[in-house]
Amino acid sequence: YLSGGSTWQATFRAAAEYIQVADSASITIVNNNRGYNYVQTINPAPAPGSLQVSYRAQGRWYDLRDNGTGALRGISAAHGSGAVDYRSGTVTITCGELPDVGSEILSPGEQRRQ
């Protein structure tokens, strides 16, 4: 109960930032799309530092991880590189080796397929 024309204001600040989970995305590798460079848009766009892209070449999996500044890097530069635009969700990668036909390039939420 307020009396005398007093005005009260309440504000709320969340204890943690709301995190959106990006949709899973994959690109199936077939003979006519096999190459070194790939582009895909993920919606909603991933949060900085949260993206991992994996691909299989010669039966071995390679992971490129987002370093939080929009650059994707592997353990070694020979594994490939890439970039993510946090506003548009566009992800570009350059594979260090040609991905295996019948495999997939996988991004958030996907499980590796053998």
Side-chain angles (χ1 to χ4, degrees):
Y1 175 75
L2 299 176
S3 63
S6 298
T7 302
W8 290 77
Q9 179 179 357
T11 58
F12 171 79
R13 182 170 39 152
E17 181 180 347
Y18 174 74
I19 298 174
Q20 289 184 342
V21 176
D23 290 341
S24 299
S26 69
I27 300 170
T28 301
I29 305 301
V30 294
N31 283 325
N32 56 340
N33 76 345
R34 188 176 186 215
Y36 290 98
N37 300 304
Y38 295 90
V39 177
Q40 179 126 22
T41 300
I42 299 173
N43 187 15
S50 69
L51 181 65
Q52 175 179 315
V53 177
S54 302
Y55 71 95
R56 191 178 75 198
Q58 298 179 16
R60 183 174 174 192
W61 283 98
Y62 295 92
D63 299 322
L64 304 176
R65 297 177 192 272
D66 171 16
N67 67 3
T69 66
L72 296 171
R73 300 282 184 255
I75 293 173
S76 163
H79 293 177
S81 63
V84 57
D85 182 320
Y86 301 121
R87 290 184 183 204
S88 69
T90 301
V91 178
T92 59
I93 68 161
T94 299
C95 299
E97 297 189 39
L98 282 173
D100 294 343
V101 171
S103 69
E104 294 180 76
I105 295 176
L106 309 170
S107 49
E110 288 285 331
Q111 296 295 315
R112 291 183 177 179
R113 296 182 179 103
Q114 298 295 327

mmCIF file of all heavy atoms in Angstrom, residues 24-72:
data_model
loop_
_atom_site.group_PDB
_atom_site.id
_atom_site.type_symbol
_atom_site.label_atom_id
_atom_site.label_comp_id
_atom_site.label_asym_id
_atom_site.label_seq_id
_atom_site.Cartn_x
_atom_site.Cartn_y
_atom_site.Cartn_z
ATOM 1 N N SER A 24 21.480 -27.875 -34.644
ATOM 2 C CA SER A 24 22.520 -28.719 -35.198
ATOM 3 C C SER A 24 22.558 -28.515 -36.704
ATOM 4 O O SER A 24 21.557 -28.193 -37.328
ATOM 5 C CB SER A 24 22.216 -30.188 -34.917
ATOM 6 O OG SER A 24 22.173 -30.411 -33.538
ATOM 7 N N ALA A 25 23.716 -28.697 -37.265
ATOM 8 C CA ALA A 25 23.853 -28.570 -38.710
ATOM 9 C C ALA A 25 24.873 -29.578 -39.183
ATOM 10 O O ALA A 25 25.808 -29.915 -38.463
ATOM 11 C CB ALA A 25 24.297 -27.161 -39.075
ATOM 12 N N SER A 26 24.668 -30.078 -40.377
ATOM 13 C CA SER A 26 25.652 -30.973 -40.965
ATOM 14 C C SER A 26 25.615 -30.832 -42.471
ATOM 15 O O SER A 26 24.615 -30.422 -43.044
ATOM 16 C CB SER A 26 25.407 -32.428 -40.548
ATOM 17 O OG SER A 26 24.225 -32.922 -41.126
ATOM 18 N N ILE A 27 26.725 -31.148 -43.077
ATOM 19 C CA ILE A 27 26.831 -31.177 -44.532
ATOM 20 C C ILE A 27 27.292 -32.580 -44.882
ATOM 21 O O ILE A 27 28.370 -33.013 -44.462
ATOM 22 C CB ILE A 27 27.858 -30.145 -45.052
ATOM 23 C CG1 ILE A 27 27.455 -28.732 -44.638
ATOM 24 C CG2 ILE A 27 28.014 -30.262 -46.563
ATOM 25 C CD1 ILE A 27 28.528 -27.678 -44.907
ATOM 26 N N THR A 28 26.474 -33.317 -45.618
ATOM 27 C CA THR A 28 26.840 -34.659 -46.047
ATOM 28 C C THR A 28 27.825 -34.548 -47.202
ATOM 29 O O THR A 28 27.604 -33.799 -48.150
ATOM 30 C CB THR A 28 25.593 -35.445 -46.487
ATOM 31 O OG1 THR A 28 24.693 -35.499 -45.371
ATOM 32 C CG2 THR A 28 25.948 -36.851 -46.920
ATOM 33 N N ILE A 29 28.907 -35.298 -47.118
ATOM 34 C CA ILE A 29 29.939 -35.254 -48.151
ATOM 35 C C ILE A 29 29.659 -36.341 -49.190
ATOM 36 O O ILE A 29 29.578 -37.528 -48.859
ATOM 37 C CB ILE A 29 31.348 -35.450 -47.543
ATOM 38 C CG1 ILE A 29 31.607 -34.439 -46.430
ATOM 39 C CG2 ILE A 29 32.413 -35.376 -48.637
ATOM 40 C CD1 ILE A 29 31.511 -32.989 -46.855
ATOM 41 N N VAL A 30 29.497 -35.898 -50.425
ATOM 42 C CA VAL A 30 29.323 -36.791 -51.569
ATOM 43 C C VAL A 30 30.357 -36.397 -52.624
ATOM 44 O O VAL A 30 31.038 -35.380 -52.491
ATOM 45 C CB VAL A 30 27.879 -36.718 -52.133
ATOM 46 C CG1 VAL A 30 26.871 -37.258 -51.120
ATOM 47 C CG2 VAL A 30 27.509 -35.302 -52.518
ATOM 48 N N ASN A 31 30.469 -37.192 -53.675
ATOM 49 C CA ASN A 31 31.487 -36.927 -54.695
ATOM 50 C C ASN A 31 31.412 -35.521 -55.272
ATOM 51 O O ASN A 31 32.443 -34.888 -55.491
ATOM 52 C CB ASN A 31 31.404 -37.948 -55.828
ATOM 53 C CG ASN A 31 32.000 -39.282 -55.432
ATOM 54 O OD1 ASN A 31 32.972 -39.336 -54.693
ATOM 55 N ND2 ASN A 31 31.403 -40.366 -55.912
ATOM 56 N N ASN A 32 30.201 -35.005 -55.518
ATOM 57 C CA ASN A 32 30.102 -33.714 -56.200
ATOM 58 C C ASN A 32 30.151 -32.490 -55.283
ATOM 59 O O ASN A 32 30.085 -31.370 -55.761
ATOM 60 C CB ASN A 32 28.884 -33.669 -57.116
ATOM 61 C CG ASN A 32 27.590 -33.965 -56.414
ATOM 62 O OD1 ASN A 32 27.599 -34.554 -55.338
ATOM 63 N ND2 ASN A 32 26.478 -33.599 -57.015
ATOM 64 N N ASN A 33 30.283 -32.662 -53.975
ATOM 65 C CA ASN A 33 30.494 -31.496 -53.105
ATOM 66 C C ASN A 33 31.766 -31.624 -52.268
ATOM 67 O O ASN A 33 32.030 -30.803 -51.408
ATOM 68 C CB ASN A 33 29.282 -31.232 -52.199
ATOM 69 C CG ASN A 33 29.181 -32.182 -51.026
ATOM 70 O OD1 ASN A 33 29.818 -33.229 -50.973
ATOM 71 N ND2 ASN A 33 28.342 -31.834 -50.065
ATOM 72 N N ARG A 34 32.545 -32.636 -52.540
ATOM 73 C CA ARG A 34 33.788 -32.860 -51.785
ATOM 74 C C ARG A 34 34.807 -31.791 -52.152
ATOM 75 O O ARG A 34 35.121 -31.572 -53.317
ATOM 76 C CB ARG A 34 34.341 -34.244 -52.102
ATOM 77 C CG ARG A 34 35.502 -34.641 -51.228
ATOM 78 C CD ARG A 34 35.929 -36.060 -51.555
ATOM 79 N NE ARG A 34 36.953 -36.500 -50.623
ATOM 80 C CZ ARG A 34 37.945 -37.296 -50.969
ATOM 81 N NH1 ARG A 34 38.057 -37.752 -52.203
ATOM 82 N NH2 ARG A 34 38.830 -37.647 -50.071
ATOM 83 N N GLY A 35 35.301 -31.095 -51.162
ATOM 84 C CA GLY A 35 36.278 -30.034 -51.380
ATOM 85 C C GLY A 35 36.903 -29.628 -50.061
ATOM 86 O O GLY A 35 36.713 -30.280 -49.037
ATOM 87 N N TYR A 36 37.626 -28.540 -50.095
ATOM 88 C CA TYR A 36 38.290 -28.053 -48.893
ATOM 89 C C TYR A 36 37.493 -26.968 -48.168
ATOM 90 O O TYR A 36 37.667 -26.765 -46.985
ATOM 91 C CB TYR A 36 39.681 -27.503 -49.229
ATOM 92 C CG TYR A 36 40.669 -28.584 -49.611
ATOM 93 C CD1 TYR A 36 40.929 -28.871 -50.934
ATOM 94 C CD2 TYR A 36 41.334 -29.318 -48.632
ATOM 95 C CE1 TYR A 36 41.835 -29.864 -51.284
ATOM 96 C CE2 TYR A 36 42.237 -30.315 -48.970
ATOM 97 C CZ TYR A 36 42.480 -30.585 -50.301
ATOM 98 O OH TYR A 36 43.368 -31.570 -50.642
ATOM 99 N N ASN A 37 36.634 -26.245 -48.885
ATOM 100 C CA ASN A 37 35.950 -25.086 -48.307
ATOM 101 C C ASN A 37 34.443 -25.309 -48.233
ATOM 102 O O ASN A 37 33.828 -25.764 -49.209
ATOM 103 C CB ASN A 37 36.234 -23.838 -49.150
ATOM 104 C CG ASN A 37 37.716 -23.546 -49.204
ATOM 105 O OD1 ASN A 37 38.356 -23.389 -48.180
ATOM 106 N ND2 ASN A 37 38.264 -23.491 -50.410
ATOM 107 N N TYR A 38 33.876 -24.938 -47.087
ATOM 108 C CA TYR A 38 32.436 -25.091 -46.875
ATOM 109 C C TYR A 38 31.899 -23.879 -46.135
ATOM 110 O O TYR A 38 32.591 -23.281 -45.308
ATOM 111 C CB TYR A 38 32.144 -26.358 -46.054
ATOM 112 C CG TYR A 38 32.532 -27.612 -46.795
ATOM 113 C CD1 TYR A 38 33.806 -28.146 -46.668
ATOM 114 C CD2 TYR A 38 31.640 -28.241 -47.655
ATOM 115 C CE1 TYR A 38 34.181 -29.277 -47.366
ATOM 116 C CE2 TYR A 38 31.998 -29.374 -48.353
ATOM 117 C CZ TYR A 38 33.274 -29.887 -48.211
ATOM 118 O OH TYR A 38 33.649 -31.011 -48.916
ATOM 119 N N VAL A 39 30.640 -23.545 -46.434
ATOM 120 C CA VAL A 39 29.952 -22.433 -45.779
ATOM 121 C C VAL A 39 28.577 -22.920 -45.350
ATOM 122 O O VAL A 39 27.888 -23.606 -46.115
ATOM 123 C CB VAL A 39 29.795 -21.227 -46.741
ATOM 124 C CG1 VAL A 39 29.017 -20.103 -46.064
ATOM 125 C CG2 VAL A 39 31.140 -20.742 -47.234
ATOM 126 N N GLN A 40 28.180 -22.572 -44.141
ATOM 127 C CA GLN A 40 26.848 -22.928 -43.642
ATOM 128 C C GLN A 40 26.388 -21.841 -42.680
ATOM 129 O O GLN A 40 27.202 -21.249 -41.965
ATOM 130 C CB GLN A 40 26.888 -24.266 -42.918
ATOM 131 C CG GLN A 40 25.542 -24.676 -42.351
ATOM 132 C CD GLN A 40 25.118 -26.036 -42.807
ATOM 133 O OE1 GLN A 40 25.935 -26.832 -43.193
ATOM 134 N NE2 GLN A 40 23.843 -26.305 -42.750
ATOM 135 N N THR A 41 25.088 -21.597 -42.661
ATOM 136 C CA THR A 41 24.526 -20.650 -41.700
ATOM 137 C C THR A 41 23.790 -21.431 -40.625
ATOM 138 O O THR A 41 22.980 -22.301 -40.923
ATOM 139 C CB THR A 41 23.583 -19.659 -42.396
ATOM 140 O OG1 THR A 41 24.327 -18.950 -43.385
ATOM 141 C CG2 THR A 41 22.998 -18.670 -41.407
ATOM 142 N N ILE A 42 24.105 -21.115 -39.375
ATOM 143 C CA ILE A 42 23.492 -21.756 -38.221
ATOM 144 C C ILE A 42 22.555 -20.748 -37.575
ATOM 145 O O ILE A 42 22.933 -19.605 -37.338
ATOM 146 C CB ILE A 42 24.573 -22.203 -37.214
ATOM 147 C CG1 ILE A 42 25.506 -23.215 -37.865
ATOM 148 C CG2 ILE A 42 23.937 -22.774 -35.955
ATOM 149 C CD1 ILE A 42 26.697 -23.567 -37.006
ATOM 150 N N ASN A 43 21.318 -21.192 -37.297
ATOM 151 C CA ASN A 43 20.322 -20.296 -36.730
ATOM 152 C C ASN A 43 19.692 -20.968 -35.512
ATOM 153 O O ASN A 43 19.173 -22.075 -35.645
ATOM 154 C CB ASN A 43 19.255 -19.983 -37.774
ATOM 155 C CG ASN A 43 18.286 -18.939 -37.296
ATOM 156 O OD1 ASN A 43 18.523 -18.251 -36.324
ATOM 157 N ND2 ASN A 43 17.168 -18.836 -37.986
ATOM 158 N N PRO A 44 19.729 -20.350 -34.341
ATOM 159 C CA PRO A 44 20.317 -19.052 -34.051
ATOM 160 C C PRO A 44 21.842 -19.124 -34.084
ATOM 161 O O PRO A 44 22.425 -20.204 -33.955
ATOM 162 C CB PRO A 44 19.819 -18.718 -32.646
ATOM 163 C CG PRO A 44 19.507 -20.040 -32.034
ATOM 164 C CD PRO A 44 19.108 -20.956 -33.149
ATOM 165 N N ALA A 45 22.459 -17.976 -34.241
ATOM 166 C CA ALA A 45 23.917 -17.897 -34.296
ATOM 167 C C ALA A 45 24.515 -18.395 -32.979
ATOM 168 O O ALA A 45 23.961 -18.154 -31.914
ATOM 169 C CB ALA A 45 24.355 -16.468 -34.572
ATOM 170 N N PRO A 46 25.634 -19.115 -33.037
ATOM 171 C CA PRO A 46 26.253 -19.603 -31.802
ATOM 172 C C PRO A 46 26.850 -18.478 -30.963
ATOM 173 O O PRO A 46 27.240 -17.432 -31.497
ATOM 174 C CB PRO A 46 27.350 -20.544 -32.303
ATOM 175 C CG PRO A 46 27.623 -20.139 -33.704
ATOM 176 C CD PRO A 46 26.363 -19.530 -34.234
ATOM 177 N N ALA A 47 26.907 -18.699 -29.677
ATOM 178 C CA ALA A 47 27.536 -17.737 -28.758
ATOM 179 C C ALA A 47 29.053 -17.810 -28.933
ATOM 180 O O ALA A 47 29.593 -18.860 -29.283
ATOM 181 C CB ALA A 47 27.153 -18.061 -27.320
ATOM 182 N N PRO A 48 29.755 -16.711 -28.684
ATOM 183 C CA PRO A 48 31.221 -16.731 -28.791
ATOM 184 C C PRO A 48 31.845 -17.835 -27.936
ATOM 185 O O PRO A 48 31.465 -18.040 -26.788
ATOM 186 C CB PRO A 48 31.632 -15.343 -28.280
ATOM 187 C CG PRO A 48 30.458 -14.476 -28.607
ATOM 188 C CD PRO A 48 29.251 -15.364 -28.362
ATOM 189 N N GLY A 49 32.763 -18.572 -28.543
ATOM 190 C CA GLY A 49 33.470 -19.636 -27.839
ATOM 191 C C GLY A 49 32.742 -20.956 -27.745
ATOM 192 O O GLY A 49 33.229 -21.889 -27.123
ATOM 193 N N SER A 50 31.549 -21.074 -28.356
ATOM 194 C CA SER A 50 30.748 -22.278 -28.178
ATOM 195 C C SER A 50 30.739 -23.229 -29.372
ATOM 196 O O SER A 50 30.238 -24.342 -29.258
ATOM 197 C CB SER A 50 29.301 -21.885 -27.863
ATOM 198 O OG SER A 50 28.689 -21.300 -28.998
ATOM 199 N N LEU A 51 31.290 -22.827 -30.495
ATOM 200 C CA LEU A 51 31.157 -23.625 -31.714
ATOM 201 C C LEU A 51 32.306 -24.605 -31.888
ATOM 202 O O LEU A 51 33.472 -24.278 -31.679
ATOM 203 C CB LEU A 51 31.100 -22.703 -32.935
ATOM 204 C CG LEU A 51 30.939 -23.395 -34.286
ATOM 205 C CD1 LEU A 51 29.600 -24.112 -34.378
ATOM 206 C CD2 LEU A 51 31.080 -22.389 -35.413
ATOM 207 N N GLN A 52 31.960 -25.815 -32.280
ATOM 208 C CA GLN A 52 32.946 -26.806 -32.697
ATOM 209 C C GLN A 52 32.450 -27.401 -34.002
ATOM 210 O O GLN A 52 31.286 -27.759 -34.120
ATOM 211 C CB GLN A 52 33.099 -27.916 -31.665
ATOM 212 C CG GLN A 52 34.031 -29.033 -32.144
ATOM 213 C CD GLN A 52 34.210 -30.116 -31.123
ATOM 214 O OE1 GLN A 52 34.406 -29.843 -29.952
ATOM 215 N NE2 GLN A 52 34.134 -31.364 -31.555
ATOM 216 N N VAL A 53 33.330 -27.499 -34.987
ATOM 217 C CA VAL A 53 33.019 -28.128 -36.262
ATOM 218 C C VAL A 53 33.962 -29.314 -36.408
ATOM 219 O O VAL A 53 35.164 -29.190 -36.177
ATOM 220 C CB VAL A 53 33.210 -27.146 -37.440
ATOM 221 C CG1 VAL A 53 32.951 -27.838 -38.765
ATOM 222 C CG2 VAL A 53 32.295 -25.934 -37.280
ATOM 223 N N SER A 54 33.408 -30.466 -36.771
ATOM 224 C CA SER A 54 34.204 -31.684 -36.915
ATOM 225 C C SER A 54 34.032 -32.252 -38.311
ATOM 226 O O SER A 54 32.944 -32.184 -38.885
ATOM 227 C CB SER A 54 33.765 -32.735 -35.895
ATOM 228 O OG SER A 54 33.882 -32.241 -34.587
ATOM 229 N N TYR A 55 35.097 -32.813 -38.840
ATOM 230 C CA TYR A 55 35.018 -33.505 -40.121
ATOM 231 C C TYR A 55 35.940 -34.713 -40.090
ATOM 232 O O TYR A 55 36.876 -34.777 -39.303
ATOM 233 C CB TYR A 55 35.351 -32.576 -41.292
ATOM 234 C CG TYR A 55 36.809 -32.177 -41.398
ATOM 235 C CD1 TYR A 55 37.680 -32.873 -42.220
ATOM 236 C CD2 TYR A 55 37.314 -31.104 -40.670
ATOM 237 C CE1 TYR A 55 39.014 -32.511 -42.319
ATOM 238 C CE2 TYR A 55 38.640 -30.730 -40.761
ATOM 239 C CZ TYR A 55 39.499 -31.442 -41.594
ATOM 240 O OH TYR A 55 40.813 -31.084 -41.682
ATOM 241 N N ARG A 56 35.642 -35.695 -40.952
ATOM 242 C CA ARG A 56 36.446 -36.919 -41.009
ATOM 243 C C ARG A 56 37.188 -36.964 -42.328
ATOM 244 O O ARG A 56 36.601 -36.773 -43.391
ATOM 245 C CB ARG A 56 35.552 -38.149 -40.870
ATOM 246 C CG ARG A 56 36.340 -39.433 -40.658
ATOM 247 C CD ARG A 56 35.431 -40.609 -40.478
ATOM 248 N NE ARG A 56 34.894 -40.952 -41.793
ATOM 249 C CZ ARG A 56 33.821 -41.706 -41.993
ATOM 250 N NH1 ARG A 56 33.143 -42.174 -40.974
ATOM 251 N NH2 ARG A 56 33.406 -41.977 -43.200
ATOM 252 N N ALA A 57 38.487 -37.221 -42.260
ATOM 253 C CA ALA A 57 39.326 -37.371 -43.451
ATOM 254 C C ALA A 57 40.238 -38.569 -43.234
ATOM 255 O O ALA A 57 40.863 -38.683 -42.177
ATOM 256 C CB ALA A 57 40.153 -36.112 -43.696
ATOM 257 N N GLN A 58 40.270 -39.455 -44.211
ATOM 258 C CA GLN A 58 41.064 -40.675 -44.149
ATOM 259 C C GLN A 58 40.770 -41.465 -42.876
ATOM 260 O O GLN A 58 41.664 -41.997 -42.220
ATOM 261 C CB GLN A 58 42.545 -40.352 -44.284
ATOM 262 C CG GLN A 58 42.867 -39.700 -45.608
ATOM 263 C CD GLN A 58 44.335 -39.361 -45.748
ATOM 264 O OE1 GLN A 58 45.189 -39.848 -45.015
ATOM 265 N NE2 GLN A 58 44.641 -38.514 -46.723
ATOM 266 N N GLY A 59 39.488 -41.465 -42.498
ATOM 267 C CA GLY A 59 39.035 -42.236 -41.345
ATOM 268 C C GLY A 59 39.326 -41.617 -39.992
ATOM 269 O O GLY A 59 39.010 -42.193 -38.966
ATOM 270 N N ARG A 60 39.882 -40.413 -39.976
ATOM 271 C CA ARG A 60 40.235 -39.756 -38.716
ATOM 272 C C ARG A 60 39.426 -38.472 -38.555
ATOM 273 O O ARG A 60 39.252 -37.717 -39.511
ATOM 274 C CB ARG A 60 41.727 -39.427 -38.739
ATOM 275 C CG ARG A 60 42.204 -38.813 -37.476
ATOM 276 C CD ARG A 60 43.695 -38.644 -37.484
ATOM 277 N NE ARG A 60 44.081 -37.904 -36.293
ATOM 278 C CZ ARG A 60 45.251 -37.393 -36.094
ATOM 279 N NH1 ARG A 60 46.196 -37.526 -36.993
ATOM 280 N NH2 ARG A 60 45.506 -36.742 -34.998
ATOM 281 N N TRP A 61 38.948 -38.216 -37.321
ATOM 282 C CA TRP A 61 38.170 -37.014 -37.045
ATOM 283 C C TRP A 61 39.081 -35.834 -36.724
ATOM 284 O O TRP A 61 40.063 -35.974 -35.997
ATOM 285 C CB TRP A 61 37.219 -37.242 -35.876
ATOM 286 C CG TRP A 61 36.020 -38.037 -36.277
ATOM 287 C CD1 TRP A 61 35.842 -39.371 -36.111
ATOM 288 C CD2 TRP A 61 34.863 -37.543 -36.929
ATOM 289 N NE1 TRP A 61 34.628 -39.741 -36.622
ATOM 290 C CE2 TRP A 61 34.007 -38.640 -37.127
ATOM 291 C CE3 TRP A 61 34.465 -36.289 -37.376
ATOM 292 C CZ2 TRP A 61 32.776 -38.511 -37.744
ATOM 293 C CZ3 TRP A 61 33.233 -36.158 -37.985
ATOM 294 C CH2 TRP A 61 32.403 -37.260 -38.167
ATOM 295 N N TYR A 62 38.723 -34.665 -37.251
ATOM 296 C CA TYR A 62 39.424 -33.416 -36.970
ATOM 297 C C TYR A 62 38.414 -32.420 -36.421
ATOM 298 O O TYR A 62 37.304 -32.305 -36.944
ATOM 299 C CB TYR A 62 40.067 -32.846 -38.242
ATOM 300 C CG TYR A 62 41.148 -33.742 -38.787
ATOM 301 C CD1 TYR A 62 40.869 -34.704 -39.740
ATOM 302 C CD2 TYR A 62 42.458 -33.627 -38.333
ATOM 303 C CE1 TYR A 62 41.856 -35.536 -40.238
ATOM 304 C CE2 TYR A 62 43.462 -34.450 -38.824
ATOM 305 C CZ TYR A 62 43.151 -35.404 -39.770
ATOM 306 O OH TYR A 62 44.136 -36.221 -40.255
ATOM 307 N N ASP A 63 38.794 -31.711 -35.364
ATOM 308 C CA ASP A 63 37.914 -30.730 -34.728
ATOM 309 C C ASP A 63 38.491 -29.328 -34.892
ATOM 310 O O ASP A 63 39.680 -29.115 -34.659
ATOM 311 C CB ASP A 63 37.773 -31.012 -33.228
ATOM 312 C CG ASP A 63 37.160 -32.374 -32.953
ATOM 313 O OD1 ASP A 63 36.250 -32.782 -33.703
ATOM 314 O OD2 ASP A 63 37.579 -33.025 -31.977
ATOM 315 N N LEU A 64 37.625 -28.396 -35.265
ATOM 316 C CA LEU A 64 37.966 -26.976 -35.309
ATOM 317 C C LEU A 64 37.091 -26.306 -34.257
ATOM 318 O O LEU A 64 35.872 -26.464 -34.267
ATOM 319 C CB LEU A 64 37.703 -26.389 -36.697
ATOM 320 C CG LEU A 64 38.399 -27.085 -37.862
ATOM 321 C CD1 LEU A 64 37.969 -26.456 -39.184
ATOM 322 C CD2 LEU A 64 39.903 -27.034 -37.704
ATOM 323 N N ARG A 65 37.705 -25.561 -33.351
ATOM 324 C CA ARG A 65 36.963 -24.938 -32.250
ATOM 325 C C ARG A 65 37.041 -23.417 -32.330
ATOM 326 O O ARG A 65 38.066 -22.855 -32.683
ATOM 327 C CB ARG A 65 37.520 -25.404 -30.909
ATOM 328 C CG ARG A 65 37.373 -26.880 -30.691
ATOM 329 C CD ARG A 65 38.024 -27.310 -29.372
ATOM 330 N NE ARG A 65 38.134 -28.748 -29.271
ATOM 331 C CZ ARG A 65 37.198 -29.542 -28.788
ATOM 332 N NH1 ARG A 65 36.068 -29.036 -28.357
ATOM 333 N NH2 ARG A 65 37.387 -30.839 -28.733
ATOM 334 N N ASP A 66 35.931 -22.804 -31.944
ATOM 335 C CA ASP A 66 35.817 -21.345 -31.894
ATOM 336 C C ASP A 66 36.606 -20.828 -30.694
ATOM 337 O O ASP A 66 36.377 -21.252 -29.569
ATOM 338 C CB ASP A 66 34.326 -21.007 -31.780
ATOM 339 C CG ASP A 66 34.034 -19.561 -31.498
ATOM 340 O OD1 ASP A 66 34.924 -18.709 -31.662
ATOM 341 O OD2 ASP A 66 32.885 -19.283 -31.109
ATOM 342 N N ASN A 67 37.523 -19.902 -30.942
ATOM 343 C CA ASN A 67 38.367 -19.380 -29.853
ATOM 344 C C ASN A 67 37.735 -18.183 -29.128
ATOM 345 O O ASN A 67 38.375 -17.561 -28.299
ATOM 346 C CB ASN A 67 39.751 -19.008 -30.374
ATOM 347 C CG ASN A 67 39.741 -17.834 -31.324
ATOM 348 O OD1 ASN A 67 38.712 -17.218 -31.583
ATOM 349 N ND2 ASN A 67 40.906 -17.514 -31.871
ATOM 350 N N GLY A 68 36.489 -17.858 -29.443
ATOM 351 C CA GLY A 68 35.801 -16.762 -28.769
ATOM 352 C C GLY A 68 35.911 -15.435 -29.487
ATOM 353 O O GLY A 68 35.236 -14.476 -29.134
ATOM 354 N N THR A 69 36.765 -15.360 -30.504
ATOM 355 C CA THR A 69 36.908 -14.129 -31.295
ATOM 356 C C THR A 69 36.375 -14.308 -32.707
ATOM 357 O O THR A 69 36.525 -13.425 -33.542
ATOM 358 C CB THR A 69 38.380 -13.677 -31.382
ATOM 359 O OG1 THR A 69 39.120 -14.644 -32.130
ATOM 360 C CG2 THR A 69 38.984 -13.490 -29.999
ATOM 361 N N GLY A 70 35.796 -15.474 -32.990
ATOM 362 C CA GLY A 70 35.250 -15.745 -34.312
ATOM 363 C C GLY A 70 36.154 -16.584 -35.185
ATOM 364 O O GLY A 70 35.791 -16.929 -36.299
ATOM 365 N N ALA A 71 37.325 -16.957 -34.677
ATOM 366 C CA ALA A 71 38.246 -17.788 -35.451
ATOM 367 C C ALA A 71 38.092 -19.252 -35.043
ATOM 368 O O ALA A 71 37.974 -19.562 -33.859
ATOM 369 C CB ALA A 71 39.677 -17.335 -35.231
ATOM 370 N N LEU A 72 38.069 -20.133 -36.023
ATOM 371 C CA LEU A 72 38.039 -21.568 -35.769
ATOM 372 C C LEU A 72 39.429 -22.121 -36.013
ATOM 373 O O LEU A 72 40.032 -21.858 -37.053
ATOM 374 C CB LEU A 72 37.037 -22.266 -36.698
ATOM 375 C CG LEU A 72 35.578 -21.875 -36.535
ATOM 376 C CD1 LEU A 72 34.740 -22.469 -37.651
ATOM 377 C CD2 LEU A 72 35.056 -22.325 -35.185
#
